[in-house]
């Protein structure tokens, strides 16, 4: 993610459908601007590695995701803040994004663990992360509070380095067979 992606991200992320199954309820352009600014600031200080998803055919930004809470000492991180335009839901975009990010985490950064936290009622995202091979570890009870005060559970998933070869093979299968 670069500052010059800002205009496309503002248009993309100012969509209530994207926020329906998250703990965030983004309703204003100012809130979207704040999300982008935070991502870029965290990139600059090394806390996060935010990326945009670009459709190759059109060059259009269709989503964003990031490697966050990067802990180089304990060699783990979280992949999250994945927000994709609804017109690209149930397409290879998210699967390919996860494949690229996980490859980078395990094969470039040398991590031994990558985790994902998903809002408890977001069953679609839970099924998607299970489909690629992440292991459900449990529920983080009362883990997030929305601006409206609703207390939410998060479901914790992970992939560890020993599982990565099988997950990688599965991702290649999903991308080459399911979507071809």
């Amino acid at each position: 993610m670069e500052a010059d992606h800002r205009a496309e991200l503002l248009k993309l992320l100012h969509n209530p459908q994207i926020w329906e199954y998250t703990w965030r309820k983004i309703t204003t352009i100012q809130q979207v601007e704040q999300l982008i600014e935070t991502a870029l600031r965290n990139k600059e200080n090394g806390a996060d590695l935010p990326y945009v998803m670009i459709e190759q055919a059109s060059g259009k930004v269709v989503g964003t995701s990031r490697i966050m809470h990067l802990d180089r000492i304990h060699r783990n991180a979280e992949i999250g803040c994945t927000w994709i335009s609804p017109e690209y839901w149930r397409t290879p975009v998210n699967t390919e994004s996860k494949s690229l990010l996980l490859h980078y985490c395990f094969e470039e950064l040398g991590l031994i663990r990558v985790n994902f936290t998903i809002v408890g009622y977001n069953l679609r995202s839970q099924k998607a992360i299970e489909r690629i091979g992440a292991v459900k570890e449990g529920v983080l009870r009362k883990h997030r509070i929305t601006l409206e005060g609703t207390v939410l559970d998060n479901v914790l998933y992970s992939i560890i380095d020993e599982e990565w070869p099988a997950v990688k093979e599965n991702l290649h299968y999903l991308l080459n067979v399911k979507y071809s």
Side-chain angles (χ1 to χ4, degrees):
M1 181 185 295
E2 302 293 338
D4 61 351
H5 294 122
R6 186 183 316 270
E8 282 188 271
L9 287 169
L10 284 170
K11 285 190 285 187
L12 171 82
L13 298 175
H14 192 239
N15 180 334
Q17 279 184 283
I18 291 174
W19 309 106
E20 186 176 356
Y21 294 101
T22 73
W23 60 271
R24 290 179 171 92
K25 296 301 173 220
I26 304 300
T27 58
T28 69
I29 284 290
Q30 292 77 21
Q31 290 171 312
V32 176
E33 286 173 340
Q34 183 61 51
L35 286 176
I36 296 166
E37 198 55 44
T38 298
L40 292 171
R41 186 174 49 252
N42 287 349
K43 175 186 173 189
E44 190 175 301
N45 69 28
D48 293 347
L49 302 171
Y51 294 92
V52 292
M53 300 169 200
I54 299 175
E55 181 183 49
Q56 288 185 345
S58 66
K60 175 181 167 184
V61 173
V62 299
T64 182
S65 191
R66 71 185 75 164
I67 299 168
M68 49 201 249
H69 311 301
L70 181 58
D71 183 339
R72 294 180 191 272
I73 293 170
H74 298 289
R75 297 175 45 206
N76 64 72
E78 179 172 354
I79 293 176
C81 294
T82 301
W83 307 310
I84 301 170
S85 171
E87 68 184 279
Y88 290 89
W89 291 352
R90 294 183 178 86
T91 72
V93 167
N94 194 29
T95 304
E96 186 173 12
S97 167
K98 294 297 185 280
S99 179
L100 292 167
L101 291 173
L102 286 164
H103 172 89
Y104 186 70
C105 286
F106 288 112
E107 297 185 26
E108 303 297 324
L109 295 176
L111 301 184
I112 60 173
R113 174 191 169 84
V114 175
N115 66 271
F116 309 83
T117 54
I118 302 170
V119 171
Y121 62 80
N122 189 345
L123 300 179
R124 184 183 71 223
S125 290
Q126 289 178 51
K127 288 177 184 176
I129 206 68
E130 289 170 4
R131 181 178 59 98
I132 69 169
V135 174
K136 183 177 181 178
E137 293 186 337
V139 177
L140 302 170
R141 300 177 302 154
K142 295 188 174 187
H143 190 237
R144 296 272 191 240
I145 302 174
T146 68
L147 288 175
E148 298 81 24
T150 304
V151 179
L152 301 172
D153 295 341
N154 269 343
V155 182
L156 179 64
Y157 290 87
S158 72
I159 299 169
I160 58 174
D161 54 348
E162 290 92 354
E163 297 162 345
W164 170 236
V167 170
K168 180 179 176 179
E169 186 175 316
N170 183 46
L171 284 162
H172 286 236
Y173 171 79
L174 290 170
L175 288 166
N176 292 320
V177 175
K178 183 168 184 174
Y179 298 111
S180 53

